[in-house]
Amino acid sequence: RILGRQLMVLLTLRISLVDLEKKNNDIGESIDYARKIQHSIFPETEEIEKHLSDFVLYYQPKNVIGGDFCWFYNNDDINYFAVVDCTGHSVPGALMSMIIHSLLNEAISELMNHEPGRILETLHEKLYSYLQQEKGDEYSQDGCDISLCRIDLQKREFQFSGARLYSYVYRNNELTILKGTSKSIGGLSIAGKPEPARSFKTEHLALSGSTYIVMATDGITDQLNEKDEIFGTGRLTELSSKCSSLSKAEASRLISETINEWKLNTSQQDDMLMTGFRIEPR
């Protein structure tokens, strides 16, 4: 009788393990398919390089899917490019990335040829309304940090607006760091009050000669090494400077090697995304 009970327990345990394995496989297949869907919102490198040279993309989500993505829009001589870091990572981050991507497309279709700051203001308003964030913590207060630039190739003008993300601009071997505004897109105010409208400043730079642009999410600067040191903005600036004088292949290899050597066996804290591209003189 005791042996019979033990056999029943073992059989039940085996059935449970088989069921658990099946559920894990189903979840894995779903997430892998979600990766394909999310990857479809990334712009094609070939399309970007029709307008911007030496485009480099380093993208390493913490999990299979994540909240970081880049975005590109072209209208004749006007190009918009953005790097976006959505709240969270994995499934929540990926879901937010699809929402932000859709709303960013809406904003640019309504405000074509407007300054990046105005577009970010509209993006905040749309997200705030879409997620019903005026209802407080009862509803999602998620959003994103973003760096958005507008490049006018005819007028040779570079415009930038950021929500807590930077842009590194190298002109004639000189670096200009554009820091944007210290507010995110979406969510309540710092005091926890409804904030349906936010202002984002736009920076203007004249393009002279060859110009190299770097944008990245804070998953890179916040990454720890084995000594619990963060990568930091200083190292990102140094890495960006080196990339500005390299070819596409060389810059891509340097970014990967630098981050991997820094991280080594340390677990990845967040999604990572870094881009670089060159604006050539006409």
Side-chain angles (χ1 to χ4, degrees):
R1 185 176 299 177
I2 295 175
L3 181 60
R5 290 199 194 101
Q6 290 175 337
L7 287 174
M8 286 297 296
V9 170
L10 289 173
L11 181 60
T12 302
L13 180 60
R14 178 175 175 78
I15 293 173
S16 299
L17 290 174
V18 170
D19 187 51
L20 180 61
E21 183 178 2
K22 183 180 183 302
K23 288 180 179 179
N24 285 339
N25 288 338
D26 290 343
I27 293 171
E29 289 175 1
S30 295
I31 291 177
D32 189 56
Y33 195 79
R35 178 190 62 79
K36 296 179 181 179
I37 295 173
Q38 187 186 31
H39 187 71
S40 68
I41 71 174
F42 276 69
E44 294 288 341
T45 298
E46 293 78 8
E47 179 61 26
I48 294 176
E49 290 191 329
K50 290 178 183 178
H51 312 281
L52 307 170
S53 305
D54 294 334
F55 175 69
V56 174
L57 170 64
Y58 175 85
Y59 174 58
Q60 187 63 50
K62 179 181 179 181
N63 304 112
V64 178
I65 51 179
D68 290 4
F69 69 94
C70 62
W71 175 89
F72 177 73
Y73 176 84
N74 167 260
N75 181 31
D76 295 328
D77 284 331
I78 306 295
N79 296 286
Y80 287 93
F81 185 84
V83 162
V84 186
D85 181 356
C86 297
T87 305
H89 42 77
S90 190
V91 175
L95 183 59
M96 280 302 303
S97 75
M98 302 302 289
I99 295 173
I100 296 292
H101 185 272
S102 177
L103 296 180
L104 190 53
N105 283 334
E106 283 185 21
I108 199 67
S109 66
E110 295 172 10
L111 300 169
M112 193 179 300
N113 295 331
H114 279 66
E115 292 186 345
R118 181 70 187 94
I119 294 171
L120 293 192
E121 290 166 4
T122 300
L123 180 62
H124 172 77
E125 293 164 7
K126 285 179 174 293
L127 182 64
Y128 191 89
S129 174
Y130 187 82
L131 295 182
Q132 303 183 64
Q133 293 181 331
E134 75 281 356
K135 295 182 179 179
D137 290 337
E138 176 185 354
Y139 284 70
S140 166
Q141 295 301 319
D142 297 302
C144 72
D145 296 339
I146 179 173
S147 54
L148 173 65
C149 65
R150 178 181 185 272
I151 305 158
D152 189 327
L153 296 177
Q154 185 177 26
K155 295 181 179 179
R156 306 298 299 167
E157 183 182 34
F158 179 86
Q159 298 178 0
F160 170 81
S161 186
R164 293 173 54 86
L165 290 184
Y166 296 2
S167 178
Y168 300 82
V169 183
Y170 294 84
R171 299 176 297 167
N172 303 318
N173 297 319
E174 292 186 3
L175 168 64
T176 302
I177 301 178
L178 304 176
K179 296 185 178 181
T181 303
S182 58
K183 291 184 178 181
S184 297
I185 301 293
L188 301 174
S189 70
I190 296 176
K193 296 182 179 180
E195 195 172 18
R198 272 180 200 156
S199 297
F200 295 91
K201 65 179 180 180
T202 297
E203 305 273 8
H204 297 254
L205 291 177
L207 296 173
S208 59
S210 179
T211 303
Y212 195 77
I213 310 295
V214 171
M215 297 180 183
T217 61
D218 63 7
I220 294 177
T221 54
D222 291 346
Q223 177 60 44
L224 299 174
N225 65 5
E226 293 181 326
K227 298 179 181 178
D228 281 343
E229 301 168 327
I230 62 169
F231 190 80
T233 55
R235 291 183 180 87
L236 178 59
T237 303
E238 181 182 357
L239 176 59
S240 302
S241 178
K242 291 177 180 177
C243 290
S244 68
S245 60
L246 299 177
S247 67
K248 172 182 176 178
E250 291 170 332
S252 180
R253 182 167 57 252
L254 177 64
I255 293 170
S256 295
E257 290 176 352
T258 301
I259 294 174
N260 289 336
E261 288 174 4
W262 176 262
K263 184 162 65 79
L264 289 179
N265 297 318
T266 307
S267 62
Q268 187 171 326
Q269 277 86 38
D270 198 359
D271 302 325
M272 295 181 180
L273 190 148
M274 178 175 175
T275 64
F277 56 85
R278 199 177 310 281
I279 306 170
E280 300 288 4
R282 287 194 165 185

